[in-house]
Amino acid sequence: MERVPALDEPLKKSLGPATAKVMAEALDLHTVGDLLHHYPRRYAERGELTTLADLPLDEHVTVVAQVADARVLTFNGAKGRGQRLEVTITDGSGRLQLVFFGKGVHKPHKDLLPGTRAMFSGKVSLFNRRLQLAHPAYELLRGDGDESADSVGTWAGALIPIYPATTKLESWKIAKAVDAVLPSVGDAVDPLPAALREGRGLTDLPDALRRIHRPRTKADIADARERLKWDEAFVLQVALARRRHADTQLPAVPRRPTPDGILDAFDAKLPFTLTDGQSKVSAEIFDDLATDHPMHRLLQGEVGSGKTMVALRAMLAVVDAGGQAAMLAPTEVLAQQHHRSVTEMMGELAEGGMLGGAERATKVVLLTGSMGAAARRHALLDLVTGEAGIVIGTHALIEDKVQFHDLGLVVVDEQHRFGVEQRDALRGKGKQPPHLLVMTATPIPRTVAMTVFGDLETSVLDQLPAGRSPIASHVVPAADKPHFLARAWERVREEVGNGHQAYVVCPRIGDEEDQKKKAKPSAEDEAEKRPPLAVLDVAQQLGAGPLAGLRIAVLHGRMHPDDKDDVMRRFAAGELDVLVATTVIEVGVNVPNATAMVIMDADRFGVSQLHQLRGRVGRGSAPGLCLLVSEMPEASPARQRLGAVAATLDGFELSRIDLEQRREGDVLGQAQSGVRSSLRVLTVIDDEEVITAAREEATALVLADPDLTGHPGLRTALDALLSEEREEYLEKG
């Protein structure tokens, strides 16, 4: 929940304009309700020592620790003699150095005497290979047991709340601001219906807010979090349940495949049988297509699980029923690839109206932004006359000029790469809302699917088709063991020697435009972080060095579309041995003869992205090999992440790891709606039971009262959650 409307009073009224301005700029908090929903990240116990041993570099932290020693050093700087105060603090798990310079040394030197306990807040940096906080803000925790002497007042009771903070706004300042507005929690409108609250034994909202900010015991925190998780899960699930309910009220043309049509002809010429999973999911889709309200289905499956085959059969069923189907791909490379593979799979069935075309054939047209004017005119004509039953394209499909004869099905590939408006514009091109099938190769844990795609029914393909080979993955620690990297290039040469091909993936292109985008790094950054390896540099080095004599080409997003297509075609035809590319090959590129992939600076990619990239090899009968090259030290979180990718091929397991690392910030994320995530205490991985129960409760409530007339509090909370942008996002999901 973003905000409780009864608490909509601007913060400047309660806290004054200066503090309110910092709250708005630093934390995007504008009203009393926003502040009350800015919950503590954790709680420090009086006398408890936090763990200094695993502080994250470059992050803003708040720690409770004890001063071990403090000394003032004199040094000669550019401006003459200066003073530096070095304070060492300890918490039993580790030690951390604090430094203060110049005139700033006097007060801390007086305050921070050995044995003093305090809260320290600042950004963790690295100096001489040791972690430190430079000029941290601090608040002393005096007089253990003697509350009257406690400088921090009421907030330093038994449990000290530690808030998500920033450089400009320390945790204890947020705590004091919360104290100022906490008396108004009595006005909070409770979104949970009383019957649900009582049935589930949940406390009311004002009480939950009091307990989460000022708990007396750990049980207070647990009760408050349980209650606030329900708020977030339930309000969101009600929003999604109302979407599903509204969708069932929309009209759509049922599309039932005709017997002995193009679908039967296609199935008859398949050289293999469908997997059980493909048959089951196809049956679910055909049932949906036969109803008179629009299908909204999410089809998720591992890379190479045969999603395209399932989508193509759905498109053919719609063509049989007299409609047209459109497939929307995120890039031109992928649209061309889909067009190629669909026409190859269909053979003469894709040659409608042409000599040699089969009797029940249709036309499959490609529509992308870079097509020539004549080809484009031709494609548009085929669409508006209905000559083309299937169109595959990029967002060029969405332009106003594009008109369909009778659009019955929209298939969106790699959903997460499309803006909401783009999908909506395409759906608006049907005479009645078309059926919608959304495909993703990024495995999504069930709870995330229920939270993010809660208005879509979900189908999962979890078997790989027969003939697919396993992929062996290994981490190559280039800095610790350079000979491992040399061996990686030998392995690539061996694969090529055996008649196969390889990919080398880099995070950056490496041309001038790339450089312009990068701000000039500081000397400190320069030492810590070299720029990511670039396609153009790596291709040159490999061609002159370890892969000399092999046929190497580059592929990246800023090449002319014709050049990109030409490189992909040559690679697919076996005319190239090694393709050095950016992540443009992440989705949809299908070259069964490619068996090896080397990912440079693999630690710069996300877990799901690495899994997607890896899925490009092992697509034929020969086993695949994926080498994850990294210069990060063995103990670093980045290396642990790579180890996790190397250890399993289970995309669902990896997506859990990915989510746990990224947190939920972008589950409903910026990527989808540009709106801050509404999840504060609910974690979609750990709170599966709450989400499932909330979904059931929400579905039942919406069925009984779709307009929520009997639930004004819930209605208010829903309006707050669904700011206009989010409402749009959910509608267009």
Side-chain angles (χ1 to χ4, degrees):
M1 279 180 46
E2 298 275 26
R3 178 181 297 173
V4 180
L7 305 179
D8 259 351
E9 188 164 289
L11 281 173
K12 65 173 173 233
K13 265 184 141 176
S14 326
L15 305 177
T19 309
K21 184 168 185 266
V22 181
M23 290 249 171
E25 285 170 3
L27 295 168
D28 198 18
L29 304 176
H30 304 274
T31 65
V32 170
D34 286 342
L35 179 54
L36 288 173
H37 286 295
H38 185 73
Y39 308 131
R41 175 177 301 185
R42 61 187 180 82
Y43 302 84
E45 290 182 61
R46 288 294 296 280
E48 173 215 38
L49 297 172
T50 56
T51 51
L52 293 179
D54 38 47
L55 288 180
L57 188 61
D58 275 349
E59 278 194 29
H60 197 277
V61 299
T62 300
V63 296
V64 174
Q66 190 164 334
V67 176
D69 68 69
R71 57 202 178 123
V72 174
L73 305 171
T74 306
F75 63 92
N76 291 317
K79 296 178 181 172
R81 289 167 73 76
Q83 285 189 313
R84 181 168 85 235
L85 170 65
E86 289 185 359
V87 179
T88 306
I89 58 173
T90 178
D91 68 348
S93 77
R95 295 164 84 82
L96 178 68
Q97 192 169 56
L98 318 176
V99 289
F100 301 86
F101 296 102
K103 294 198 178 81
V105 306
H106 305 304
K107 188 173 184 321
H109 192 210
K110 212 164 61 207
D111 289 342
L112 301 176
L113 302 171
T116 307
R117 179 171 284 123
M119 290 173 81
F120 301 93
S121 185
K123 192 174 183 184
V124 183
S125 59
L126 201 60
F127 181 72
N128 280 345
R129 308 195 77 111
R130 284 170 63 197
L131 294 181
Q132 69 168 27
L133 298 182
H135 281 283
Y138 61 88
E139 188 91 342
L140 303 179
L141 300 177
R142 285 206 252 282
D144 285 294
D146 174 11
E147 285 304 327
S148 60
D150 201 323
S151 70
V152 289
T154 53
W155 62 265
L159 292 160
I160 304 168
I162 309 273
Y163 287 91
T166 69
T167 324
K168 290 182 177 170
L169 206 57
E170 292 90 13
S171 171
W172 51 87
K173 288 184 182 164
I174 298 169
K176 287 173 180 171
V178 168
D179 279 339
V181 301
L182 206 52
S184 53
V185 290
D187 301 334
V189 177
D190 202 322
L192 293 192
L196 188 156
R197 263 198 335 260
E198 284 151 24
R200 301 259 168 197
L202 300 168
T203 180
D204 65 21
L205 182 59
D207 188 49
L209 290 171
R210 279 186 208 102
R211 289 192 199 192
I212 197 144
H213 288 292
R214 298 295 170 263
R216 285 189 297 278
T217 62
K218 288 186 175 171
D220 278 353
I221 301 170
D223 290 349
R225 289 180 70 83
E226 183 66 14
R227 160 60 217 241
L228 294 166
K229 280 177 183 182
W230 259 92
D231 277 17
E232 291 177 6
F234 183 69
V235 176
L236 185 56
Q237 291 301 336
V238 166
L240 293 164
R242 293 183 74 207
R243 278 280 7 110
R244 291 195 299 275
H245 185 265
D247 287 339
T248 62
Q249 311 302 305
L250 286 173
V253 180
R255 310 280 179 174
R256 293 185 186 84
T258 47
D260 297 329
I262 189 168
L263 177 61
D264 284 352
F266 175 76
D267 283 349
K269 65 194 258 324
L270 277 181
F272 52 81
T273 51
L274 298 176
T275 64
D276 293 347
Q278 285 174 317
S279 303
K280 178 174 152 289
V281 170
S282 288
E284 290 170 351
I285 291 171
F286 291 152
D287 287 349
D288 284 357
L289 290 173
T291 61
D292 53 11
H293 56 84
M295 165 172 82
H296 288 93
R297 190 167 282 280
L298 172 70
L299 170 57
Q300 47 171 332
E302 286 285 6
V303 170
S305 57
K307 293 185 301 297
T308 311
M309 170 62 70
V310 169
L312 176 55
R313 293 185 72 243
M315 294 197 286
L316 294 175
V318 169
V319 172
D320 267 347
Q324 290 168 294
M327 182 185 250
L328 195 56
T331 63
E332 294 212 355
V333 169
L334 192 51
Q336 288 158 343
Q337 175 94 29
H338 275 317
H339 183 253
R340 249 197 314 272
S341 60
V342 163
T343 47
E344 278 167 18
M345 284 195 273
M346 286 175 64
E348 73 275 13
L349 293 172
E351 297 168 358
M354 293 188 254
L355 281 173
E359 173 197 348
R360 290 186 289 272
T362 187
K363 236 186 209 179
V364 179
V365 302
L366 176 68
L367 191 64
T368 64
S370 64
M371 283 169 74
R376 192 177 169 76
R377 252 198 323 275
H378 211 89
L380 291 173
L381 192 63
D382 285 343
L383 285 185
V384 75
T385 58
E387 189 91 357
I390 294 177
V391 58
I392 296 169
T394 54
H395 50 261
L397 281 176
I398 295 164
E399 292 169 12
D400 293 343
K401 290 192 208 64
V402 180
Q403 297 197 338
F404 291 84
H405 177 65
D406 178 14
L407 181 61
L409 170 66
V410 173
V411 178
V412 178
D413 190 23
E414 285 312 320
Q415 180 278 340
H416 63 284
R417 289 161 173 258
F418 279 102
V420 169
E421 289 72 21
Q422 293 172 311
R423 294 203 301 276
D424 201 44
L426 188 55
R427 277 170 65 182
K429 289 184 177 290
K431 293 186 178 70
Q432 281 192 327
H435 299 281
L436 175 71
L437 180 64
V438 167
M439 298 199 296
T440 178
T442 308
I444 301 163
R446 180 169 161 268
T447 45
V448 183
M450 279 174 12
T451 311
V452 184
F453 302 105
D455 54 341
L456 300 175
E457 298 300 324
T458 305
S459 297
V460 178
L461 281 175
D462 47 14
Q463 289 169 290
L464 286 186
R468 275 299 164 85
S469 304
I471 304 168
S473 305
H474 304 283
V475 178
V476 177
D480 312 349
K481 300 180 179 165
H483 59 287
F484 275 38
L485 183 58
R487 176 71 188 118
W489 300 127
E490 283 171 21
R491 285 291 289 113
V492 170
R493 291 196 86 98
E494 286 164 17
E495 289 298 311
V496 172
N498 291 334
H500 297 302
Q501 292 158 281
Y503 297 100
V504 177
V505 182
C506 305
R508 201 164 61 92
I509 297 172
D511 54 14
E512 279 58 51
E513 214 169 312
D514 233 22
Q515 297 301 335
K516 267 183 259 169
K517 281 187 191 166
K518 281 192 81 63
K520 188 164 172 29
S522 67
E524 187 182 313
D525 281 353
E526 200 72 73
E528 288 296 319
K529 302 172 187 164
R530 60 163 175 72
L533 292 170
V535 166
L536 301 177
D537 305 339
V538 168
Q540 199 177 354
Q541 288 157 13
L542 292 176
L547 302 186
L550 300 187
R551 298 168 300 172
I552 298 175
V554 300
L555 181 71
H556 59 75
R558 278 207 290 275
M559 287 165 64
H560 186 279
D562 290 350
D563 296 339
K564 273 195 283 199
D565 201 38
D566 181 54
V567 168
M568 263 327 299
R569 188 193 52 69
R570 284 165 54 216
F571 190 64
E575 295 165 21
L576 297 168
D577 300 319
V578 178
L579 190 59
V580 183
T582 56
T583 54
V584 291
I585 60 153
E586 182 184 351
V587 285
V589 174
N590 185 23
V591 180
N593 191 42
T595 53
M597 175 177 283
V598 180
I599 302 179
M600 307 303 290
D601 279 345
D603 47 87
R604 312 238 180 179
F605 299 97
V607 170
S608 294
Q609 198 172 26
L610 290 169
H611 183 59
Q612 288 276 50
L613 285 164
R614 169 171 65 183
R616 300 295 120 220
V617 295
R619 298 175 77 84
S621 52
L625 172 69
C626 178
L627 301 174
L628 306 166
V629 180
S630 170
E631 292 186 0
M632 296 303 275
E634 194 166 355
S636 63
R639 273 282 290 280
Q640 286 161 7
R641 207 169 63 226
L642 296 181
V645 175
T648 178
L649 290 172
D650 179 346
F652 285 93
E653 177 55 32
L654 288 173
S655 67
R656 287 182 77 95
I657 293 168
D658 194 22
L659 200 69
E660 280 161 6
Q661 288 180 338
R662 282 185 304 145
R663 309 278 308 141
E664 273 72 29
D666 48 37
V667 166
L668 269 182
Q670 310 290 46
Q672 291 296 344
S673 63
V675 179
R676 221 163 30 135
S677 163
S678 65
L679 304 186
R680 302 274 187 277
V681 283
L682 190 73
T683 60
V684 290
I685 287 289
D686 300 331
D687 295 322
E688 182 161 353
E689 284 173 26
V690 176
I691 293 169
T692 309
R695 184 180 167 106
E696 284 165 15
E697 294 269 13
T699 307
L701 184 135
V702 168
L703 209 58
D705 181 5
D707 296 325
L708 309 182
T709 39
H711 303 283
L714 176 56
R715 182 79 249 186
T716 308
L718 203 58
D719 292 341
L721 171 76
L722 301 181
S723 56
E724 282 168 42
E725 290 170 274
R726 193 183 292 277
E727 177 80 87
E728 265 174 44
Y729 153 59
L730 287 167
E731 278 191 6
K732 296 169 186 179

